[in-house]
Amino acid sequence: MEYLGLSYIFGLSTMFFGMMAWFFWRRDELLYRLVALLTGTIAVECIKDFIVVNMGLYSDPQAWDVMTAIDMVAVPMYAFVLTELVRPGHINRRSILIQELPFIVLPALYIALGNRWFFYIEVGWAAIYGSSIMIWTSVNIPRYNRHLKELYSYTENINLNWLKVILYTFYVILGLWIFDCLVIHLDMECVYMVCNLVLWMIISYFLYRHQSVMGELADWKPELSTEADDENILAAKIEKLFSSGQIYLNPNLKLSDIAAAVGSNRTYVSKFFNRDSSTNFYEYVNGMRIEHACRLLSETALPIQDVAQKSGFSSPSVFSRVFLKHKNCSPSAFRMAIHK
């Protein structure tokens, strides 16, 4: 019965990770290729582990250690995915090779020389390396999200708030994995594999929804006309876009859209919002949207969801959340107060 349950988990895991590898590989972006490489590696490791367990080699401590040592080649791949999420474009072939090298050399030395200290060193390095990457990611997520608000008027499907929950769960998985490495027991292997599978189901859902921000985060080379260099003219153009053009009603508005509309560079346009308006792009645009919504709530009987749509919000839930932040009350409460 124990073998039957474990075989089922191995089969389910292999099928899931194999499908995810195929699915993400079809999306031609570095992030998804890294995810495909990681999930494909996990699928191959599931097959390898299934063979080892069914051959009865799990009872041999050295065979278990070798199997685990080889599995650790996937540890840096997690780091590559996290790095590409938080710092798009930061990963390159050189950094991949340097970070993977210890997880290739140490298992090779252990297999060749049979000295178990190489295995312990690899486990210890994996724990230190994994914890460092998770701390680094935790610190950089707020920085990434703040930067997004300088470029986007929305955060749905591009912010990394969901990744915080995933990271906390990673700490649990990392702890289970280390315990699984040191305790040779099939029940522990089952617990680890089930937790890992559930975690990856959640990760895959958010990764599927996550939109690429590479185009906006890429550096621009300024090619400005003489007119665009004049800050007063630039400010007048931007203000006209918002007052007369009501460009803020576009729910997918980005800083690059403003820059293109005024014939300027994204860096100069960003300075307008950060310096002249004493706010960032996200707050400025959503402030304009909220004021537009207030007019609709005061002057019309439109349903709240229609007010949200006509004010440039992607959904009623986002509208309610932003409205509450700006006005300290819900849209319906605001309307009731106005019409008393």
Side-chain angles (χ1 to χ4, degrees), residues 199-256:
L199 173 65
W200 264 101
M201 288 179 180
I202 299 171
I203 292 174
S204 298
Y205 168 75
F206 284 107
L207 283 173
Y208 174 76
R209 295 178 58 195
H210 189 71
Q211 296 178 8
S212 173
V213 298
M214 279 299 296
E216 294 299 308
L217 295 181
D219 291 330
W220 283 18
K221 294 181 179 179
E223 296 179 359
L224 305 179
S225 65
T226 304
E227 184 183 38
D229 288 333
D230 191 315
E231 294 183 2
N232 293 329
I233 295 176
L234 178 62
K237 284 184 174 183
I238 295 174
E239 289 168 357
K240 185 178 180 180
L241 273 178
F242 280 89
S243 59
S244 302
Q246 295 185 320
I247 196 170
Y248 54 85
L249 296 182
N250 174 10
N252 298 315
L253 185 65
K254 301 183 291 293
L255 190 75
S256 57

XYZ file of all heavy atoms in Angstrom, residues 199-256:
474
model
N 2.256 23.410 -4.030
C 2.888 24.720 -4.177
C 3.029 25.086 -5.644
O 2.724 26.216 -6.049
C 4.262 24.707 -3.498
C 5.125 25.955 -3.717
C 4.478 27.172 -3.075
C 6.527 25.742 -3.166
N 3.457 24.149 -6.452
C 3.672 24.434 -7.871
C 2.368 24.644 -8.628
O 2.334 25.350 -9.638
C 4.502 23.338 -8.517
C 5.941 23.727 -8.540
C 6.929 23.313 -7.697
C 6.549 24.662 -9.425
N 8.112 23.921 -8.010
C 7.908 24.756 -9.075
C 6.076 25.422 -10.491
C 8.804 25.588 -9.746
C 6.955 26.256 -11.165
C 8.300 26.336 -10.794
N 1.306 24.057 -8.182
C 0.003 24.335 -8.787
C -0.365 25.805 -8.594
O -0.859 26.470 -9.509
C -1.074 23.432 -8.172
C -0.983 21.984 -8.599
S -2.273 20.958 -7.819
C -1.888 19.353 -8.526
N -0.089 26.323 -7.375
C -0.372 27.731 -7.089
C 0.559 28.634 -7.898
O 0.130 29.623 -8.506
C -0.204 28.005 -5.576
C -1.171 27.150 -4.767
C -0.420 29.483 -5.271
C -0.930 27.181 -3.274
N 1.861 28.291 -7.919
C 2.832 29.086 -8.669
C 2.456 29.150 -10.139
O 2.497 30.216 -10.772
C 4.249 28.486 -8.515
C 4.738 28.644 -7.086
C 5.221 29.158 -9.482
C 6.052 27.957 -6.817
N 2.096 28.015 -10.714
C 1.765 27.954 -12.143
C 0.564 28.825 -12.475
O 0.521 29.466 -13.533
C 1.497 26.502 -12.562
O 2.641 25.703 -12.370
N -0.404 28.856 -11.568
C -1.582 29.699 -11.784
C -1.191 31.167 -11.886
O -1.593 31.878 -12.811
C -2.576 29.491 -10.633
C -3.688 30.511 -10.599
C -4.748 30.462 -11.518
C -3.687 31.543 -9.653
C -5.758 31.413 -11.487
C -4.698 32.479 -9.612
C -5.731 32.413 -10.539
O -6.724 33.360 -10.515
N -0.366 31.635 -10.939
C 0.026 33.044 -10.950
C 0.983 33.358 -12.094
O 0.921 34.441 -12.682
C 0.650 33.434 -9.609
C -0.360 33.615 -8.516
C -0.486 32.682 -7.498
C -1.198 34.715 -8.504
C -1.416 32.851 -6.486
C -2.142 34.892 -7.497
C -2.245 33.955 -6.488
N 1.873 32.421 -12.415
C 2.786 32.647 -13.532
C 2.032 32.741 -14.852
O 2.399 33.518 -15.739
C 3.825 31.520 -13.604
C 4.958 31.574 -12.582
C 5.795 30.313 -12.667
C 5.829 32.802 -12.800
N 0.984 31.950 -14.983
C 0.175 31.990 -16.197
C -0.488 33.357 -16.367
O -0.578 33.885 -17.471
C -0.887 30.890 -16.144
C -1.862 30.938 -17.306
C -1.478 30.487 -18.564
C -3.152 31.444 -17.146
C -2.357 30.538 -19.636
C -4.031 31.500 -18.206
C -3.629 31.045 -19.446
O -4.506 31.108 -20.501
N -0.933 33.953 -15.254
C -1.601 35.249 -15.303
C -0.617 36.411 -15.406
O -0.990 37.507 -15.816
C -2.454 35.441 -14.046
C -3.618 34.468 -13.913
C -4.364 34.719 -12.616
N -4.849 36.092 -12.540
C -5.269 36.674 -11.415
N -5.223 36.004 -10.281
N -5.701 37.906 -11.426
N 0.628 36.168 -15.006
C 1.600 37.256 -14.932
C 1.925 37.796 -16.323
O 2.261 37.045 -17.230
C 2.883 36.756 -14.266
C 3.858 37.847 -13.941
N 3.637 38.762 -12.941
C 5.044 38.183 -14.501
C 4.656 39.605 -12.889
N 5.515 39.280 -13.824
N 1.817 39.100 -16.479
C 2.111 39.743 -17.751
C 3.566 40.199 -17.785
O 4.117 40.641 -16.786
C 1.199 40.954 -17.969
C -0.271 40.608 -18.088
C -1.132 41.851 -18.243
O -0.640 42.952 -18.407
N -2.443 41.661 -18.166
N 4.164 40.110 -18.959
C 5.548 40.544 -19.114
C 5.649 42.061 -18.967
O 4.818 42.807 -19.483
C 6.085 40.123 -20.484
O 7.369 40.676 -20.706
N 6.686 42.495 -18.258
C 6.923 43.940 -18.101
C 8.256 44.332 -18.728
O 8.732 45.454 -18.539
C 6.912 44.346 -16.612
C 5.553 44.072 -15.990
C 7.994 43.603 -15.836
N 8.851 43.416 -19.482
C 10.173 43.669 -20.042
C 10.195 44.914 -20.914
O 11.141 45.702 -20.885
C 10.636 42.459 -20.855
C 11.221 41.350 -20.007
S 12.682 41.859 -19.077
C 13.802 42.222 -20.411
N 9.140 45.111 -21.710
C 9.111 46.256 -22.613
C 9.149 47.580 -21.876
O 9.774 48.541 -22.330
N 8.494 47.639 -20.713
C 8.460 48.883 -19.943
C 9.697 49.059 -19.078
O 10.130 50.183 -18.833
C 7.210 48.907 -19.053
C 5.914 48.966 -19.823
C 5.805 50.218 -20.679
O 6.003 51.325 -20.155
O 5.537 50.081 -21.880
N 10.265 47.960 -18.593
C 11.410 48.064 -17.705
C 12.726 48.234 -18.456
O 13.736 48.616 -17.870
C 11.507 46.827 -16.803
C 10.359 46.647 -15.810
C 10.587 45.407 -14.979
C 10.216 47.855 -14.906
N 12.709 47.949 -19.754
C 13.925 48.112 -20.552
C 14.305 49.586 -20.610
O 13.455 50.466 -20.647
C 13.709 47.565 -21.958
N 15.607 49.847 -20.600
C 16.086 51.227 -20.643
C 15.841 51.842 -22.014
O 16.032 51.185 -23.034
C 17.590 51.282 -20.339
C 17.876 50.926 -18.899
O 17.006 51.196 -18.039
O 18.957 50.381 -18.644
N 15.447 53.077 -22.018
C 15.261 53.826 -23.254
C 16.479 54.699 -23.507
O 17.102 55.208 -22.589
C 14.034 54.738 -23.140
C 12.736 54.028 -23.279
C 12.505 52.697 -23.163
C 11.484 54.623 -23.537
N 11.190 52.415 -23.318
C 10.528 53.596 -23.553
C 11.059 55.936 -23.749
C 9.186 53.821 -23.792
C 9.727 56.172 -23.972
C 8.802 55.123 -24.003
N 16.794 54.927 -24.781
C 17.840 55.870 -25.148
C 17.168 57.182 -25.531
O 16.395 57.229 -26.479
C 18.665 55.344 -26.328
C 19.468 54.089 -25.989
C 20.277 53.626 -27.160
C 21.092 52.383 -26.815
N 21.878 51.906 -27.964
N 17.426 58.266 -24.829
C 16.746 59.518 -25.111
C 17.078 60.062 -26.487
O 18.231 60.174 -26.856
C 17.262 60.464 -24.020
C 18.190 59.695 -23.177
C 18.389 58.361 -23.759
N 16.045 60.346 -27.231
C 16.173 61.007 -28.527
C 15.111 62.091 -28.555
O 14.027 61.921 -29.111
C 15.983 60.007 -29.677
C 17.064 58.932 -29.712
C 16.853 57.943 -30.834
O 15.844 58.098 -31.562
O 17.680 57.036 -30.984
N 15.415 63.222 -27.916
C 14.418 64.254 -27.683
C 14.562 65.399 -28.667
O 15.664 65.779 -29.047
C 14.552 64.803 -26.255
C 14.496 63.755 -25.138
C 14.672 64.429 -23.805
C 13.206 62.995 -25.203
N 13.433 65.944 -29.050
C 13.447 67.148 -29.862
C 13.692 68.343 -28.958
O 13.610 68.258 -27.738
C 12.091 67.312 -30.569
O 11.084 67.527 -29.608
N 13.993 69.489 -29.566
C 14.237 70.698 -28.780
C 13.000 71.083 -27.987
O 13.063 71.476 -26.832
C 14.626 71.866 -29.715
O 15.754 71.462 -30.471
C 14.972 73.093 -28.904
N 11.812 70.891 -28.597
C 10.575 71.262 -27.923
C 10.335 70.394 -26.703
O 9.923 70.878 -25.656
C 9.403 71.147 -28.898
C 8.083 71.604 -28.305
C 6.928 71.410 -29.271
O 6.912 70.399 -29.973
O 6.052 72.293 -29.299
N 10.649 69.099 -26.831
C 10.429 68.175 -25.710
C 11.375 68.460 -24.566
O 11.091 68.119 -23.414
C 10.577 66.730 -26.174
N 12.506 69.112 -24.868
C 13.451 69.430 -23.810
C 12.927 70.534 -22.898
O 13.383 70.673 -21.767
C 14.790 69.881 -24.414
C 15.546 68.710 -25.032
O 15.322 67.585 -24.575
O 16.341 68.942 -25.951
N 12.001 71.313 -23.382
C 11.444 72.401 -22.584
C 10.454 71.819 -21.578
O 9.390 71.318 -21.946
C 10.750 73.402 -23.495
C 10.381 74.680 -22.758
O 9.856 74.572 -21.633
O 10.605 75.758 -23.314
N 10.803 71.878 -20.309
C 9.972 71.242 -19.288
C 8.586 71.874 -19.182
O 7.619 71.174 -18.899
C 10.685 71.308 -17.935
C 11.965 70.474 -17.885
C 12.626 70.500 -16.524
O 12.067 71.144 -15.615
O 13.683 69.874 -16.372
N 8.502 73.165 -19.400
C 7.198 73.830 -19.319
C 6.267 73.355 -20.423
O 5.072 73.125 -20.193
C 7.372 75.349 -19.398
C 8.076 75.900 -18.179
O 7.939 75.357 -17.085
N 8.839 76.963 -18.364
N 6.812 73.221 -21.626
C 6.002 72.740 -22.750
C 5.589 71.289 -22.513
O 4.442 70.908 -22.767
C 6.782 72.864 -24.074
C 7.031 74.343 -24.386
C 6.040 72.194 -25.218
C 7.863 74.581 -25.623
N 6.534 70.502 -22.001
C 6.229 69.098 -21.711
C 5.121 68.991 -20.668
O 4.172 68.213 -20.826
C 7.487 68.384 -21.215
C 7.333 66.909 -20.821
C 6.895 66.084 -22.013
C 8.636 66.375 -20.239
N 5.216 69.775 -19.600
C 4.200 69.743 -18.547
C 2.838 70.153 -19.093
O 1.815 69.533 -18.752
C 4.612 70.665 -17.404
N 2.822 71.180 -19.961
C 1.557 71.639 -20.546
C 0.927 70.551 -21.410
O -0.292 70.347 -21.392
C 1.794 72.903 -21.368
N 1.750 69.841 -22.158
C 1.252 68.757 -23.014
C 0.638 67.630 -22.176
O -0.432 67.108 -22.495
C 2.388 68.195 -23.875
C 2.787 69.061 -25.051
C 3.844 68.336 -25.870
C 4.173 69.107 -27.149
N 5.152 68.380 -27.978
N 1.337 67.271 -21.116
C 0.845 66.184 -20.260
C -0.458 66.580 -19.583
O -1.421 65.791 -19.537
C 1.906 65.801 -19.204
C 3.141 65.219 -19.896
C 1.335 64.795 -18.204
C 4.299 64.947 -18.961
N -0.507 67.788 -19.063
C -1.723 68.260 -18.388
C -2.905 68.319 -19.347
O -4.043 68.026 -18.975
C -1.462 69.629 -17.762
C -0.542 69.547 -16.546
C -0.048 70.906 -16.088
O -0.390 71.911 -16.757
O 0.684 70.973 -15.076
N -2.634 68.687 -20.607
C -3.699 68.725 -21.609
C -4.224 67.327 -21.905
O -5.426 67.118 -22.094
C -3.196 69.396 -22.892
C -4.287 69.585 -23.945
C -3.745 70.308 -25.170
C -4.846 70.481 -26.215
N -4.338 71.186 -27.438
N -3.305 66.360 -21.950
C -3.710 64.972 -22.184
C -4.699 64.503 -21.121
O -5.643 63.772 -21.413
C -2.489 64.050 -22.167
C -1.704 63.842 -23.466
C -0.512 62.937 -23.202
C -2.587 63.254 -24.551
N -4.468 64.925 -19.891
C -5.315 64.475 -18.792
C -6.593 65.301 -18.670
O -7.658 64.749 -18.396
C -4.530 64.519 -17.476
C -3.620 63.348 -17.291
C -2.318 63.382 -17.766
C -4.054 62.192 -16.669
C -1.473 62.297 -17.604
C -3.224 61.094 -16.500
C -1.921 61.151 -16.980
N -6.496 66.608 -18.893
C -7.672 67.458 -18.716
C -8.616 67.388 -19.908
O -9.807 67.105 -19.761
C -7.247 68.909 -18.484
O -6.486 69.385 -19.582
N -8.095 67.591 -21.103
C -8.941 67.594 -22.303
C -9.072 66.205 -22.908
O -10.159 65.781 -23.298
C -8.358 68.560 -23.351
O -8.242 69.861 -22.825
N -7.945 65.505 -22.979
C -7.963 64.183 -23.623
C -8.481 63.069 -22.747
O -8.856 62.011 -23.237
N -8.503 63.294 -21.421
C -8.948 62.273 -20.453
C -8.287 60.914 -20.738
O -8.928 59.871 -20.728
C -10.473 62.145 -20.473
C -11.200 63.395 -19.990
C -12.693 63.198 -19.897
O -13.308 62.574 -20.754
N -13.299 63.726 -18.823
N -6.994 60.976 -20.953
C -6.254 59.760 -21.277
C -6.270 58.751 -20.131
O -6.063 57.551 -20.322
C -4.796 60.110 -21.673
C -4.142 58.924 -22.389
C -3.991 60.575 -20.453
C -2.811 59.260 -23.022
N -6.544 59.231 -18.922
C -6.574 58.355 -17.749
C -7.719 57.343 -17.796
O -7.760 56.395 -17.011
C -6.687 59.189 -16.463
C -7.848 60.146 -16.438
C -9.120 59.734 -16.044
C -7.689 61.483 -16.808
C -10.195 60.613 -16.015
C -8.755 62.369 -16.782
C -9.996 61.938 -16.387
O -11.063 62.807 -16.367
N -8.668 57.532 -18.728
C -9.792 56.598 -18.835
C -9.387 55.276 -19.503
O -10.169 54.329 -19.525
C -10.936 57.245 -19.613
C -11.568 58.487 -18.946
C -12.712 59.018 -19.782
C -12.032 58.165 -17.527
N -8.182 55.231 -20.031
C -7.648 53.986 -20.591
C -7.200 53.093 -19.433
O -6.253 53.435 -18.722
C -6.470 54.291 -21.518
C -5.776 53.027 -22.017
O -6.259 51.906 -21.828
N -4.636 53.202 -22.652
N -7.857 51.959 -19.204
C -7.520 51.117 -18.041
C -6.123 50.503 -18.123
O -5.571 50.080 -17.113
C -8.600 50.034 -18.047
C -9.081 49.987 -19.455
C -8.971 51.385 -19.981
N -5.541 50.436 -19.331
C -4.213 49.840 -19.517
C -3.148 50.896 -19.774
O -2.123 50.621 -20.397
C -4.244 48.840 -20.680
C -5.184 47.679 -20.415
O -5.191 47.111 -19.323
N -5.982 47.322 -21.402
N -3.388 52.100 -19.289
C -2.473 53.213 -19.538
C -1.110 52.971 -18.894
O -1.016 52.597 -17.737
C -3.082 54.510 -18.987
C -2.305 55.797 -19.263
C -2.261 56.106 -20.756
C -2.927 56.961 -18.492
N -0.045 53.213 -19.677
C 1.326 53.070 -19.203
C 2.074 54.379 -19.422
O 1.667 55.207 -20.238
C 2.041 51.938 -19.951
C 1.375 50.579 -19.800
C 2.163 49.488 -20.486
C 2.127 49.623 -22.006
N 0.794 49.387 -22.562
N 3.167 54.542 -18.713
C 3.975 55.757 -18.851
C 4.466 55.923 -20.286
O 4.537 57.038 -20.804
C 5.160 55.705 -17.888
C 5.953 57.002 -17.757
C 5.183 58.020 -16.920
C 7.321 56.744 -17.123
N 4.788 54.819 -20.925
C 5.273 54.891 -22.311
C 4.194 55.419 -23.249
O 4.513 56.047 -24.270
C 5.748 53.507 -22.778
O 4.714 52.551 -22.663
